[in-house]
Amino acid sequence: MAYKKDVKDNGYIYAFVDISIAKSNFISMLVTAILVAILSILAFLILTILLANWALRPVAQSWQQQKRFLADASHELKTPLTSILGCAEIIQNGVAKPEDLPQFTKQIYNEAKRLLSLIEDIIRLSKLDEGELKDEFSPIDLYTLSEKVIDELSSKADSEKISLSLQGEHIIINGLENTLYEMIYNLCDNAISYNHIGGNVTVKIQKDNGHTIL
């Protein structure tokens, strides 16, 4: 209840007004405004979290790829290093016979070359990620390139009694010839090495929905 006091010529006038409804409406509006503000802040926080997760997803995927690449690269680098250290230790301890020394030194030389090649591959991949080698791309017949790999590995396949064949069609792509050659070579070499006697390795080049499939 509220009142207003006014002075007139013949005395005082008091006017009383019931403001309970107005106060109740004001409180309701205030509570509603506070709830709307809280809900807005919560919605903003949730939206911010969702957007942050969406934005960071490529970063997380890239980090996983980097970890997988580092693990693979470490494994590939460890193999020739282990061979080099093993041969060097045999020579250093005087275990190797004089007539075997050329064989051990040759193996050290070959594994060192392989190690250098792997390091160069890693540097090349880094440059590819940075887009620095795009100007070096050239048209390559993937089928013809695969034929060279098959010819190179045919003697190893024969010694392992593995059937090595090539199927598909001549398809021209744009890329780095040396990198592609090493990629196909490593795939086939591993397929032969980890196969079984009488097994087979088939390289197939084909088109699928506009994409080249090896």
Side-chain angles (χ1 to χ4, degrees), residues 10-146:
N10 57 350
Y12 296 99
I13 297 176
Y14 294 91
F16 293 89
V17 178
D18 185 2
I19 62 171
S20 59
I21 296 176
K23 288 178 67 177
S24 176
N25 289 338
F26 173 76
I27 291 172
S28 297
M29 291 176 61
L30 182 62
V31 171
T32 301
I34 292 172
L35 287 174
V36 169
I38 292 173
L39 290 174
S40 298
I41 292 172
L42 287 174
F44 176 76
L45 289 173
I46 293 171
L47 183 60
T48 301
I49 292 171
L50 291 174
L51 288 174
N53 288 336
W54 176 78
L56 291 174
R57 189 177 302 164
V59 177
Q61 291 175 347
S62 177
W63 173 242
Q64 290 298 324
Q65 291 174 351
Q66 290 286 348
K67 286 174 64 178
R68 188 161 54 247
F69 170 76
L70 287 173
D72 292 342
S74 299
H75 174 73
E76 290 295 331
L77 292 172
K78 185 178 178 181
T79 302
L81 276 174
T82 302
S83 180
I84 291 171
L85 288 173
C87 292
E89 186 177 2
I90 290 173
I91 295 173
Q92 184 181 24
N93 293 337
V95 179
K97 297 177 182 178
E99 60 269 22
D100 293 332
L101 287 177
Q103 179 183 349
F104 284 115
T105 54
K106 181 181 179 181
Q107 187 171 349
I108 290 174
Y109 174 77
N110 289 335
E111 293 296 343
K113 281 182 62 178
R114 181 185 174 193
L115 186 61
L116 181 61
S117 177
L118 288 170
I119 294 171
E120 290 174 347
D121 287 344
I122 293 172
I123 295 172
R124 191 181 297 115
L125 284 172
S126 176
K127 289 182 178 180
L128 277 172
D129 287 339
E130 298 296 329
E132 296 180 12
L133 295 179
K134 287 184 178 179
D135 293 339
E136 298 180 22
F137 281 22
S138 61
I140 299 164
D141 187 328
L142 202 55
Y143 189 93
T144 302
L145 191 66
S146 298

Side-chain angles (χ1 to χ4, degrees), residues 175-195:
L176 295 169
E177 184 171 356
N178 289 337
T179 301
L180 287 167
Y181 179 87
E182 290 175 10
M183 180 190 74
I184 300 170
Y185 184 95
N186 288 336
L187 286 171
C188 293
D189 188 43
N190 285 335
I192 294 169
S193 298
Y194 297 100
N195 214 313

